[in-house]
Amino acid sequence: MGMKTKHRFGTFFYHLFVCGFGLIMIYPVLWMISGAFKNNMEILNGGLKLLPPNWRFENFTNGWSGFGGISFGRFFANSFIVAGISTAATVFSSACVAYAFARIKFKGSKIWFTAMICTMMLPAQIILVPQYIIYNRLGWVGTFLPLILPHFFGQAFFIYQMMQFAKGIPRELDEAATIDGCSKYSIFTRIIFPLLKPSIVTTVIIQFYWKWDDFMAPMIYLNKPKMYTASIAIKQFADASSTTDYGAMFAMSTCSLIPVFFIFLVFNKYLVEGISTSGLKG
């Protein structure tokens, strides 16, 4: 058997393995999407079959009608408010801190950087109770503030990512801008921030996904149905005291995938570029 034949066989089995493994990984999502077109009996007793015997589009209508007189459109709007504002705040605040760590020498920078890195190693569950007590005393429980306001002060993971990317930008640009009379603020807004585009897009995608998919924080801080996000509202279709409408639940779960999938599809190129360059530079 020649080398070309061995190479072809190796390539064939490699692609076969990747496709099979990819199918296993994506199968639960495909099963959920197919469940959006089934009734409860077909979902619970249909096994692993994907194609529904009867396509039930009314699941989307029933799901979109929501519950308690509140349309699911309201829940989606709440999710967009929380995820959108949090993402914008995270991008700008993290970029500011990353610029300071990467390009400005100031007293105590190493101590602050170490403290920031330590926060990345701290599990979020440890500060859950202290945070709730603080927000409750401030009267913020029952509002969007606990879900949004912390992101105006930067996120350690994204600060570190942007800082690594910023270190790869030539310092000669800063020196030339300083000679032209630019302040550090102007250097950041006119030079550094635009050049951080791949890292910023990466931050937008990951942060939006995290906030859109977040279940724990909205469940803790939101106590009014009209303020529920989509992740909390979907859970309300599962009622232990009555019949659970799995079809409507799967239908709304499918709809909730669309914004994240669309953002990932559009910015996938920048996501890969941002992650790869952030890991190589610095």
Side-chain angles (χ1 to χ4, degrees):
M1 184 180 294
M3 290 298 297
K4 290 186 177 180
T5 305
K6 289 182 179 180
H7 178 71
R8 289 176 181 175
F9 271 106
T11 303
F12 171 77
F13 284 111
Y14 170 77
H15 285 88
L16 183 65
F17 172 77
V18 170
C19 292
F21 188 74
L23 180 61
I24 293 174
M25 295 294 293
I26 201 175
Y27 188 86
V29 177
L30 297 177
W31 188 83
M32 181 197 70
I33 295 174
S34 70
F37 301 94
K38 301 176 183 178
N39 59 23
N40 285 1
M41 188 65 65
E42 293 167 349
I43 292 173
L44 297 175
N45 300 327
L48 299 178
K49 296 179 181 178
L50 288 181
L51 293 178
N54 299 300
W55 294 81
R56 304 179 184 275
F57 293 94
E58 62 271 17
N59 288 336
F60 289 88
T61 304
N62 297 336
W64 194 260
S65 62
F67 54 86
I70 306 174
S71 169
F72 218 88
R74 177 64 180 270
F75 305 134
F76 270 101
N78 293 339
S79 289
F80 273 113
I81 292 173
V82 172
I85 298 178
S86 298
T87 300
T90 297
V91 167
F92 186 73
S93 60
S94 298
C96 289
V97 179
Y99 169 68
F101 279 134
R103 317 293 272 201
I104 302 175
K105 294 181 180 180
F106 58 94
K107 189 176 182 179
S109 61
K110 293 183 178 180
I111 297 176
W112 286 112
F113 179 76
T114 303
M116 183 200 72
I117 294 298
C118 289
T119 63
M120 295 175 61
M121 304 175 185
L122 192 67
Q125 292 78 6
I126 292 179
I127 60 175
L128 200 59
V129 174
Q131 277 185 334
Y132 182 85
I133 293 174
I134 293 173
Y135 293 146
N136 188 46
R137 290 180 178 177
L138 292 173
W140 291 357
V141 175
T143 69
F144 290 144
L145 289 176
L147 307 179
I148 296 175
L149 195 61
H151 298 280
F152 282 86
F153 302 95
Q155 300 293 308
F157 174 80
F158 299 115
I159 292 173
Y160 183 77
Q161 173 194 265
M162 291 185 181
M163 188 185 73
Q164 293 298 103
F165 192 93
K167 285 183 177 180
I169 299 175
R171 287 185 175 271
E172 287 77 8
L173 297 176
D174 300 39
E175 297 171 358
T178 302
I179 294 173
D180 290 339
C182 290
S183 63
K184 293 188 182 300
Y185 173 80
S186 298
I187 293 173
F188 171 69
T189 55
R190 297 182 180 182
I191 299 175
I192 303 299
F193 193 77
L195 291 177
L196 287 175
K197 181 180 178 181
S199 184
I200 288 174
V201 173
T202 302
T203 302
V204 168
I205 295 174
I206 297 176
Q207 177 63 15
F208 185 87
Y209 169 74
W210 282 353
K211 293 303 294 184
W212 183 269
D213 197 48
D214 187 20
F215 179 83
M216 181 66 72
M219 182 180 66
I220 293 174
Y221 295 115
L222 302 180
N223 50 25
K224 299 177 183 178
K226 66 179 181 180
M227 301 189 70
Y228 285 171
T229 57
S231 58
I232 298 295
I234 291 173
K235 173 64 176 63
Q236 303 307 311
F237 285 108
D239 191 349
S241 60
S242 62
T243 303
T244 298
D245 192 348
Y246 289 105
M249 180 191 294
F250 287 180
M252 292 301 98
S253 297
T254 301
C255 291
S256 69
L257 292 177
I258 296 176
V260 176
F261 178 76
F262 178 77
I263 290 178
F264 181 81
L265 190 66
V266 172
F267 298 109
N268 179 52
K269 172 185 175 182
Y270 299 102
L271 174 64
V272 175
E273 181 181 353
I275 293 176
S276 60
T277 51
S278 296
L280 292 174
K281 296 178 180 178

